[in-house]
């Protein structure tokens, strides 16, 4: 059955974007908590990385459905565990740095490129499954859907960063610890919800 360009297609794409962006929003919140004087340019880069991964992952899933689905099915069972491991490692690092720097009243450590890429991957890895839900879309529709998801994610992540920064200035030294706990909780949530 050929999918049609209509209002429902765009609405579904926006709703998919909102649903997929919740983990990225929470991680953005944690990043904002950890770095309360983050510049707007860096905020845009962080939100852009999350948006990029949220666009790419559904397209990889879509491609798998149309090419190598049997291999992807075997990998799909590992996705929740991979997200849990990645987010626990990052969260644990943030908690450790927060405890070490408790006397430092300024702020937590700055977010590095590798950590940001791991966060983007970990929070979007479950979006691979969205490729299955958009499998009936043609290539152009799938790309448009992925772009809408990406745009929604960008704005939701920017909101998370702004809120995290505002809260982070109030909690100063404890912000990194709270951010780390949030990341570990997100990893557990991804793992538990995908197992049951």
């Amino acid at each position: 059955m050929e999918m049609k360009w209509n209002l429902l297609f765009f609405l579904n794409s926006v709703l998919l974007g909102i649903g997929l962006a919740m983990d990225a929003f929470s991680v953005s919140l944690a990043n904002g908590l950890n770095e309360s004087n983050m510049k707007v340019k860096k905020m845009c880069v962080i939100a852009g990385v999350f948006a990029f991964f949220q666009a790419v992952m559904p397209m990889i899933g879509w491609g798998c459905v149309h090419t190598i689905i049997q291999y992807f099915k075997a990998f799909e069972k590992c996705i929740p565990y991979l997200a849990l491991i990645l987010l626990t490692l990052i969260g644990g690092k943030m908690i450790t740095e927060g405890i070490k720097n408790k006397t430092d009243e300024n702020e937590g450590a700055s977010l590095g490129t590798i950590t940001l890429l791991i966060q983007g991957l970990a929070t979007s890895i479950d979006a691979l499954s969205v490729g299955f839900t958009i499998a009936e879309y043609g290539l152009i529709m799938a790309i448009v859907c992925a772009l809408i998801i990406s745009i929604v994610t960008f704005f939701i992540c920017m909101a998370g960063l702004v809120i995290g920064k505002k809260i982070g200035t109030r909690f100063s030294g404890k912000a990194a610890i709270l951010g780390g706990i949030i990341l570990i909780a997100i990893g557990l949530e991804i793992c538990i919800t995908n197992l049951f």
Side-chain angles (χ1 to χ4, degrees):
M1 181 178 106
E2 176 123 1
M3 294 302 294
K4 296 191 178 183
W5 294 91
N6 56 27
L7 186 59
L8 190 59
F9 162 76
F10 290 100
L11 180 62
N12 284 341
S13 298
V14 169
L15 291 174
L16 268 175
I18 292 169
L20 289 172
M22 288 302 103
D23 290 336
F25 168 80
S26 299
V27 174
S28 296
L29 189 68
N31 288 337
L33 279 167
N34 193 42
E35 197 172 336
S36 59
N37 67 356
M38 189 184 299
K39 305 280 187 243
V40 174
K41 181 179 176 186
K42 186 169 184 179
M43 291 169 65
C44 289
V45 168
I46 292 169
V49 167
F50 286 121
F52 170 77
F53 276 104
Q54 291 289 9
V56 168
M57 289 300 188
M59 288 309 298
I60 291 172
W62 182 90
C64 288
V65 168
H66 292 277
T67 55
I68 53 169
I69 191 162
Q70 64 274 15
Y71 301 113
F72 181 71
K73 277 286 192 198
F75 174 72
E76 191 176 20
K77 292 178 181 140
C78 302
I79 290 173
Y81 299 110
L82 185 58
L84 174 62
I85 290 166
L86 292 173
L87 289 173
T88 300
L89 288 172
I90 297 166
K93 184 174 179 268
M94 282 175 72
I95 290 170
T96 305
E97 288 172 357
I99 291 169
K100 281 182 188 172
N101 299 328
K102 221 171 183 184
T103 53
D104 181 13
E105 289 298 312
N106 289 333
E107 66 175 70
S110 180
L111 180 66
T113 305
I114 300 296
T115 302
L116 177 59
L117 292 173
I118 292 170
Q119 286 179 353
L121 178 65
T123 57
S124 66
I125 202 160
D126 59 338
L128 278 168
S129 303
V130 171
F132 292 128
T133 65
I134 63 170
E136 70 272 12
Y137 294 175
L139 178 61
I140 301 300
M141 281 187 93
I143 290 170
V144 170
C145 178
L147 288 174
I148 292 170
I149 289 169
S150 176
I151 291 165
V152 169
T153 299
F154 180 85
F155 286 108
I156 287 175
C157 288
M158 285 297 283
L161 287 163
V162 169
I163 294 167
K165 278 177 54 176
K166 287 192 188 295
I167 295 170
T169 53
R170 294 196 180 128
F171 292 111
S172 64
K174 295 180 180 87
I177 297 168
L178 180 60
I181 291 168
I182 289 171
L183 291 185
I184 293 169
I186 294 165
L188 286 168
E189 181 268 331
I190 290 170
C191 194
I192 291 166
T193 54
N194 282 285
L195 290 176
F196 301 107

